[in-house]
Amino acid sequence: MLSAGPTPHTSLDQWTFTIEGGAEPVRWTWDEFRTLPTETVTKDIHCVTKWSKFDTDWEGVSVDTLLESVDYDRAYAVAFSDGGYTTNLPVEDLTGGRAWVAYEFDGQPLEPEHGGPARLLVPHLYFWKSAKWVRGLRLLDHDERGFWEQLGYHDYGDPWREQRHWGD
Ligand SMILES: Nc1nc2c(c(=O)[nH]1)N[C@H]1C(S)=C(S)[C@@H](COP(=O)(O)O)O[C@H]1N2
Ligand SMILES: [Mo]
C-alpha cells in the first residue's frame, strides 16, 4: 500500500509542525522550520510489500534538532499527518540521528504524492512509519497504535526481522 486516502494539499503559509506531550506544545511555522539546521542523508528504504529502494537522497531537519526545543520525558510517539494518518514509534527510534522531517527528495522539493511539503523519514523501519504530510509528533508515556498498526501491522516494524504484522 502506498497512500490511504487522497493526497492533501496544505499551502506553506498554513503549514505548521507541532510537538505535543512535552511541558508545553512547541510549534514551528514553515518559515521557522526552514531556519533550523538541515541535513542531507542517503538511505535505503524498505516497504512492507517487499520492495526496497537503495541510496535515496533526502534533505530535512533531524528529529533530534526538533526535540532540542522540547522539554519532555516520554518514551513513545505518534506521528500525525494531514488527512488523519498516524503511525507509532518509540522516541528512541526518532532520535540518535535516525529520523528526519524531510522536505526534499533527490534535490527537489518533495512532491505532494510523496508527502510534500514534508514527511517523516525513518529509514531503519518499514516505510509505513515514514508518515507523509506529517504535521507533528505526539509524545506519550505508552505505545499507542497508529493507522496501519490498528489494522494489524506491527507496532515496531523492523525490516531486518520482517516485522510486518502483529506477532511477527
Ligand atoms: N500520510 C501517510 N503516510 C504514509 C502512508 C499513508 O497512507 N499516508 N503510507 C505509508 C506507506 S505504506 C508507504 S510504503 C510509504 C509510501 O511512500 P511513497 O508514496 O513516497 O512511496 O508512505 C508511508 N507513509
Ligand atoms: Mo507500504
Side-chain angles (χ1 to χ4, degrees):
M1 68 259 145
L2 299 169
S3 297
T7 297
H9 292 271
T10 301
S11 65
L12 297 183
D13 59 340
Q14 300 291 312
W15 188 93
T16 54
F17 191 88
T18 306
I19 300 183
E20 299 169 2
E24 44 195 69
V26 179
R27 172 169 299 173
W28 295 264
T29 64
W30 180 261
D31 290 341
E32 290 164 347
F33 173 77
R34 291 296 286 105
T35 65
L36 296 170
T38 63
E39 295 177 11
T40 53
V41 291
T42 302
K43 294 287 177 187
D44 300 341
I45 52 182
H46 309 279
C47 179
V48 71
T49 54
K50 299 196 172 163
W51 58 260
S52 294
K53 266 189 213 162
F54 301 102
D55 296 332
T56 58
D57 292 320
W58 303 85
E59 186 168 308
V61 175
S62 105
V63 175
D64 292 304
T65 299
L66 296 168
L67 284 173
E68 275 171 23
S69 306
V70 184
D71 176 16
Y72 71 98
D73 178 22
R74 295 276 187 271
Y76 299 95
V78 170
F80 56 90
S81 297
D82 280 322
Y85 187 82
T86 53
T87 189
N88 53 311
L89 312 101
V91 170
E92 207 183 12
D93 289 85
L94 289 167
T95 52
R98 297 201 288 171
W100 295 266
V101 176
Y103 52 83
E104 259 188 41
F105 176 77
D106 253 347
Q108 300 294 325
L110 194 57
E111 288 171 30
E113 309 80 73
H114 292 297
R119 77 181 297 162
L120 197 60
L121 174 66
V122 193
H124 72 284
L125 298 178
Y126 274 127
F127 211 35
W128 88 78
K129 298 287 183 182
S130 291
K132 301 195 274 190
W133 316 297
V134 70
R135 292 291 300 276
L137 299 172
R138 199 169 297 126
L139 305 178
L140 302 164
D141 58 11
H142 61 282
D143 202 7
E144 202 173 282
R145 285 179 171 151
F147 180 82
W148 291 118
E149 293 85 2
Q150 289 173 37
L151 296 173
Y153 276 78
H154 200 276
D155 288 328
Y156 186 65
D158 182 346
W160 304 109
R161 288 184 279 168
E162 302 204 29
Q163 292 174 333
R164 295 190 172 86
H165 303 103
W166 297 348
D168 283 353

